[in-house]
Amino acid sequence: MVCPHCGPRAQVEFVFDRALDAVLSLDASPAEAVSRLYERDNPRGWSWELWRHTAGCGAWLKLHRHTVTHEIDIVETIGGLA
């Protein structure tokens, strides 16, 4: 994988957190939380995901990744460095 801050790095340095459509706002109702976390679709194909460069700079990253081929075509930083 390529970190926007550190450059090309081994994939073991990164940790998957969740698909971005499973991120909840702090004011989400319990029904919305259940729906977004447990009842959402999980189709094959391109997905926006939240990852963290835990063994490097600690940055949170937004990746556009194909769930079958694991190809990554977009990596964006979320916020600043940890």
Side-chain angles (χ1 to χ4, degrees):
M1 290 177 59
V2 178
C3 175
H5 302 288
C6 305
R9 308 298 284 198
Q11 186 171 348
V12 298
E13 292 189 11
F14 298 87
V15 175
F16 172 79
D17 187 74
R18 67 185 72 198
L20 282 182
D21 63 355
V23 175
L24 297 170
S25 64
L26 294 176
D27 61 349
S29 69
E32 181 183 359
V34 168
S35 175
R36 291 187 71 168
L37 294 174
Y38 301 108
E39 300 172 347
R40 64 185 189 82
D41 291 334
N42 190 18
R44 294 179 179 198
W46 290 101
S47 174
W48 282 101
E49 299 173 340
L50 182 61
W51 287 69
R52 185 151 190 195
H53 191 183
T54 54
C57 63
W60 285 99
L61 305 171
K62 177 178 155 183
L63 272 69
H64 194 231
R65 185 180 71 88
H66 197 282
T67 60
V68 176
T69 65
H70 304 291
E71 177 186 356
I72 298 169
D73 70 344
I74 300 172
V75 178
E76 298 174 354
T77 304
I78 297 177
L81 294 176

